[in-house]
Amino acid sequence: MMAKRDYYEVLEISKSASEEEIKKAYRKMAIKFHPDKNQGDKTAEDKFKEAAEAYEVLSDAKKKAQYDRFGHAGMGGAAGGGGYGGQGMNMEDIFSQFGDIFGGGDGSPFGSFFGGGGGGQQQRRRKGSDLRIKLKLNLEEVANGVEKKIKVKRHVTCKSCSGNGAKNGTELSTCQTCGGAGQVRRVQQTMLGQMVTTSPCPTCNGEGKQIKTRCEACFGEGRVLEEEIIPIKIPAGVADSMQLSMSGKGNVPPRGGVAGDLLIVIEEEPDEVLHRDGTNVIYDLYLNFADAALGTTVEVPTIGGKARITIEAGTQAGKILRLKGKGIKELNGYGVGDELIHVNLWTPKSLTKEETEMLEKMRDSPNFHPKPNKNEKNFFEKMKDFFN
């Protein structure tokens, strides 16, 4: 499988392109690679779909911001049957969702293909509403990625009427008011001449069709509310509040159309012992004075396990130890962060008489006098070295 191209590269625009420039760029690409203009050309068809997918993301402010920050990984990746971001789109989806940018009456030779000039017969199908859910993930799931099955209640196409709202799916009748156009025109005489306005037909609510006998299962809605188990694959490296989009897993609109999207908002649960900092995780290790002075080996928690590390004799408080590759995978790359172990010296708050006497004898020992050398870096210098 070929690597997915950058959406800006697909539409041949810069990241600073305006909404209108994005729209014009998509229109140009869609006309160039339209399947009716390139019949039998699979490459042109793929480029047509690729351009539609790019426009779906870049024309939506929220999706665009998500893409600009996290790239294709921020759109999710394949999951279930639909995929994220637009990968599950077919030709009908494309014509239905984006046909309006070609409009009608502009002289475009492709207007009718996109719902732009054929009256009621070429009306743009509606898109259903999106669904938004929160998904809680622990640190291990965030670090390694995870597959989940979530239960969602959403409107799906009524099987009894196949989505048209009529009893047993019988054929709908053409609206007599608008003649199936879904719109009514009104001509008004003004001082400047005739003014023509259009508005949705009040009889059929802009649908161009009317139901004779309503479906008993959905009461003419063409959709029913069902509970569905949806499998999703969360990539490694996601962050708290990140939003993934699963195309076609939202609600279907009444009486036919394209299903909306399922928006998955990541909620990262705080870990009890490890703290996330980007792709790194931080662990506070507390040592007693004897272990720090004499050296020892200790066991520390890692993501999904434990590791045994050596503490050298004379280890100073504030020292940062690194466990390479024990952090979190990069969302947009192949790198993995580290686990940073911050050494703290535990000072007892109460002492026995014997312990006090022992420490009093050592207090004046020359080895117990602080003697930092010039090579000793302070805490901020150490942190700067690690993160640079």
Side-chain angles (χ1 to χ4, degrees):
M1 176 182 286
M2 293 181 61
K4 186 182 289 292
R5 288 204 298 158
D6 179 79
Y7 287 148
Y8 293 100
E9 179 186 339
V10 170
L11 296 183
E12 298 180 356
I13 55 175
S14 67
K15 286 191 174 182
S16 59
S18 66
E19 183 178 343
E20 186 61 29
E21 287 172 332
I22 294 172
K23 187 174 182 180
K24 286 181 179 179
Y26 170 56
R27 188 178 190 274
K28 177 182 176 182
M29 289 295 169
I31 291 177
K32 181 178 180 181
F33 298 112
H34 192 283
D36 283 0
K37 186 181 178 184
N38 302 272
Q39 293 185 13
D41 189 339
K42 184 65 169 60
T43 300
E45 180 181 330
D46 290 340
K47 287 184 178 294
F48 181 76
K49 292 179 179 179
E50 185 182 43
E53 182 179 329
Y55 179 70
E56 181 199 20
V57 173
L58 300 183
S59 63
D60 185 297
K62 290 183 178 179
K63 290 181 181 179
K64 183 178 184 295
Q66 191 77 9
Y67 178 73
D68 288 344
R69 185 179 179 189
F70 300 107
H72 290 300
M75 300 296 99
Y84 292 104
Q87 299 168 32
M89 297 175 70
N90 55 36
M91 286 299 193
E92 187 176 4
D93 292 334
I94 296 170
F95 295 153
S96 300
Q97 292 185 48
F98 309 132
D100 62 329
I101 75 164
F102 288 82
D106 63 350
S108 169
F110 303 109
S112 62
F113 299 139
F114 289 83
Q121 300 303 315
Q122 295 291 338
Q123 289 185 54
R124 179 193 178 196
R125 292 180 67 195
R126 297 162 298 168
K127 184 177 181 181
S129 60
D130 295 337
L131 289 176
R132 186 188 300 270
I133 63 166
K134 286 187 176 182
L135 183 63
K136 291 185 177 182
L137 300 177
N138 59 39
L139 185 59
E140 185 175 355
E141 291 171 332
V142 165
N144 301 318
V146 66
E147 291 189 20
K148 293 269 190 180
K149 289 184 178 180
I150 55 175
K151 188 181 293 185
V152 176
K153 280 188 176 180
R154 69 188 192 100
H155 283 107
V156 298
T157 301
C158 175
K159 295 178 182 177
S160 178
C161 65
S162 299
N164 71 354
K167 187 175 182 179
N168 299 324
T170 53
E171 188 176 349
L172 306 182
S173 60
T174 301
C175 176
Q176 297 300 311
T177 302
C178 64
Q183 295 181 330
V184 291
R185 299 178 50 161
R186 179 177 298 174
V187 180
Q188 291 179 309
Q189 193 68 37
T190 69
M191 59 183 297
L192 300 176
Q194 286 188 340
M195 179 179 292
V196 180
T197 59
T198 59
S199 60
C201 175
T203 304
C204 64
N205 295 319
E207 295 182 19
K209 299 286 184 179
Q210 287 183 291
I211 300 171
K212 293 181 179 179
T213 306
R214 294 185 182 277
C215 173
E216 296 176 357
C218 64
F219 305 103
E221 276 282 296
R223 62 179 187 172
V224 292
L225 190 63
E226 285 189 0
E227 194 170 73
E228 184 178 351
I229 304 296
I230 300 177
I232 60 174
K233 186 176 181 180
I234 305 298
V238 294
D240 188 61
S241 300
M242 179 184 289
Q243 180 174 283
L244 304 178
S245 177
M246 197 170 185
S247 179
K249 291 297 182 180
N251 291 316
V252 299
R255 292 173 295 281
V258 180
D261 300 335
L262 175 63
L263 307 178
I264 305 156
V265 181
I266 301 299
E267 189 172 317
E268 187 176 336
E269 296 180 314
D271 193 83
E272 293 182 359
V273 293
L274 297 174
H275 307 284
R276 180 179 182 179
D277 184 13
T279 58
N280 294 325
V281 292
I282 299 173
Y283 175 67
D284 277 311
L285 173 65
Y286 287 88
L287 296 175
N288 63 48
F289 174 74
D291 285 338
L294 301 175
T296 185
T297 59
V298 296
E299 194 174 68
V300 296
T302 61
I303 296 176
K306 295 180 179 179
R308 183 163 289 276
I309 63 173
T310 299
I311 304 297
E312 296 179 353
T315 294
Q316 299 297 313
K319 184 171 184 178
I320 298 174
L321 307 175
R322 182 195 295 265
L323 290 179
K324 196 163 184 64
K326 291 293 185 180
I328 297 171
K329 293 180 181 178
E330 293 181 3
L331 183 62
N332 279 328
Y334 300 98
V336 182
D338 304 325
E339 179 170 333
L340 306 179
I341 302 168
H342 182 212
V343 176
N344 299 275
L345 192 60
W346 178 260
T347 303
K349 295 181 179 180
S350 60
L351 299 169
T352 65
K353 182 179 179 181
E354 291 79 6
E355 291 168 340
T356 301
E357 290 174 351
M358 291 173 61
L359 290 176
E360 286 290 354
K361 290 178 182 179
M362 292 186 289
R363 186 199 293 269
D364 296 326
S365 173
N367 287 332
F368 281 76
H369 292 172
K371 296 177 182 178
N373 58 47
K374 294 182 180 180
N375 294 325
E376 289 286 339
K377 295 182 178 181
N378 61 38
F379 174 77
F380 296 103
E381 290 173 328
K382 293 174 184 177
M383 292 301 290
K384 185 178 179 180
D385 287 344
F386 272 104
F387 291 109
N388 288 339

